[in-house]
Amino acid sequence: MNTITAAITAVGAYVPDFVLTNKALETMVDTNDEWITSRTGIKERRILKDQDKGTSFLAIKAAQDLLAKANIDPLEIDLLIMATATPDMPVASTGVYVATQLGATNAFAYDLQAACSSFLFGMSTAAAYIESGRYKKVLLIGADKMSSIVDYTDRSTCIIFGDGAGAVLFEPNYEGLGLQDEYLRSDGIGRDFLKIDAGGSLNPTSYDTVKENKHNIIQDGKTVFKYAVTNMADSSELLLKRNNLTNEDVDWLVPHQANKRIIDATANRMNLEDSKVLMNIEKYGNTTSATLPLVLSDFEHVFKKGDTIIFAAFGGGFTWGSIYLKWAYDKK
């Protein structure tokens, strides 16, 4: 029996129509386009303006895009993993709702939350289900409506985040393509540096927590930046060494789109030329769980079967890591 590897066989994406530019942010907080661009690489981000639509709307749209492009019946999906930091509700699983709305009624579904590393960790999880031999089609969706937890009077966070969703399909591969190796880590020291203070069991929602604006994301930018630069670069370098890969062997780096300076530092550690580093942060900002699949969607046309791709991410908690994957198809 041939060894089963888990390969990405289809990609889909969705971003809202509304564009929030740096120029628009200048009218909202004390900032300017030059300052934002030089420090983050972000020029604009997409915002889901509809108050009656949540993360599930973004996820469904991205999944529908994938299913339509790949001509797949949703009834064929065995499992749906919903990577998100902004579920529609605290208890009812967003992934379960998404699966039902898609018509993927033969699939079981659940949410996976590891902040900005959610999709990366979801790749590992989806691959393990495929490699077990029990499941043939695993749909992994990364989606976040970050505008729902951003304070648009806080210039340290409102300039960074945007809304969006991306999806990939994992299927068995018998050619040795797909996920090859991973290095995933976490450290609870990050709990105090990137968080939402209220709304959980530790500090439940109350009149006071709402009045004191404790339901929006806050971060210690300098600390998060320092840990992100170090850990994304370290994990990527370690993965290369462990698999006897050089910078020449790597075709593409797909990094979490949090900050261009973090991406540059990771690429420099790997000694990669700029043309191999894939970025769309200028268009979308940090869409948290959606950054990696949005990059895959935007650059799917450049990937060739057999290409070596390194994924890297860092998120609150802290969570981080890298994945080494061999691309499995040429786009038709």
Side-chain angles (χ1 to χ4, degrees):
M1 181 177 176
N2 292 333
T3 301
I4 300 172
T5 52
I8 292 174
T9 58
V11 177
Y14 175 79
V15 291
D17 293 330
F18 183 83
V19 178
L20 179 60
T21 65
N22 289 349
K23 287 294 184 182
L25 282 171
E26 289 179 6
T27 68
M28 300 164 62
V29 291
D30 182 15
T31 191
N32 60 70
D33 174 64
E34 190 279 330
W35 192 92
I36 297 171
T37 304
S38 64
R39 284 162 176 77
T40 69
I42 302 168
K43 298 294 288 186
E44 58 189 40
R45 64 288 293 148
R46 301 298 185 95
I47 304 295
L48 181 58
K49 297 291 284 185
D50 306 46
Q51 295 298 314
D52 61 341
K53 292 183 173 68
T55 294
S56 62
F57 173 80
L58 302 168
I60 291 166
K61 287 287 190 180
Q64 287 173 335
D65 180 52
L66 181 153
L67 295 171
K69 289 195 299 186
N71 193 27
I72 293 173
D73 186 336
L75 292 174
E76 298 177 43
I77 303 299
D78 300 312
L79 163 63
L80 187 151
I81 301 174
M82 181 75 224
T84 185
T86 56
D88 284 2
M89 302 175 183
V91 175
S93 169
T94 301
V96 170
Y97 176 74
V98 169
T100 299
Q101 293 302 112
L102 289 173
T105 52
N106 289 325
F108 72 101
Y110 60 84
D111 295 354
L112 188 157
Q113 207 281 74
C116 291
S117 300
S118 295
F119 190 86
L120 188 79
F121 286 15
M123 290 176 66
S124 171
T125 307
Y129 278 109
I130 293 294
E131 291 163 0
S132 75
R134 294 183 181 180
Y135 305 97
K136 303 298 184 186
K137 285 182 169 60
V138 177
L139 181 60
L140 171 63
I141 306 172
D144 273 303
K145 185 182 179 182
M146 293 303 293
S147 61
S148 67
I149 58 171
V150 167
D151 177 0
Y152 284 94
T153 66
D154 175 12
R155 71 173 184 173
S156 68
T157 55
C158 73
I159 66 171
I160 296 170
F161 296 103
D163 303 337
V168 301
L169 183 69
F170 275 92
E171 294 187 274
N173 183 278
Y174 301 94
E175 303 176 272
L177 302 173
L179 198 149
Q180 306 293 308
D181 196 11
E182 63 185 40
Y183 182 81
L184 307 178
R185 290 294 183 269
S186 59
D187 187 343
I189 194 174
R191 182 173 167 121
D192 292 329
F193 301 115
L194 180 55
K195 61 180 178 176
I196 295 175
D197 276 323
S201 60
L202 187 63
N203 192 9
T205 303
S206 67
Y207 174 83
D208 287 337
T209 63
V210 174
K211 183 180 178 181
E212 295 167 12
N213 199 27
K214 291 187 175 182
H215 293 268
N216 291 317
I217 191 168
I218 56 174
Q219 71 169 350
D220 178 338
K222 290 183 179 179
T223 301
V224 173
F225 180 86
K226 180 183 72 173
Y227 275 91
V229 167
T230 300
N231 289 312
M232 273 182 62
D234 284 352
S235 62
S236 300
E237 184 180 39
L238 183 148
L239 203 58
L240 294 185
K241 289 181 177 178
R242 192 161 74 185
N243 288 278
N244 297 313
L245 298 173
T246 70
N247 61 320
E248 296 297 324
D249 298 316
V250 177
D251 294 296
W252 309 105
L253 172 66
V254 176
H256 171 51
Q257 309 288 299
N259 184 300
K260 186 178 183 298
R261 291 187 295 168
I262 296 173
I263 295 171
D264 288 343
T266 302
N268 288 338
R269 179 74 71 83
M270 297 170 69
N271 197 26
L272 290 182
E273 53 193 75
D274 291 347
S275 61
K276 292 184 175 184
V277 183
L278 303 184
M279 283 190 279
N280 57 12
I281 189 171
E282 72 282 356
K283 296 193 297 181
Y284 307 131
N286 182 353
T287 54
T288 306
S289 308
T291 64
L292 297 183
L294 282 175
V295 171
L296 291 182
S297 178
D298 279 359
F299 292 94
E300 184 186 16
H301 63 285
V302 307
F303 301 145
K304 303 298 182 187
K305 185 175 180 179
D307 277 359
T308 292
I309 303 177
I310 301 296
F311 295 81
F314 181 89
F318 292 126
T319 59
W320 71 92
S322 296
I323 282 177
Y324 162 32
L325 179 137
K326 288 279 190 181
W327 196 250
Y329 66 94
D330 297 316
K331 187 178 180 183
K332 299 178 181 178

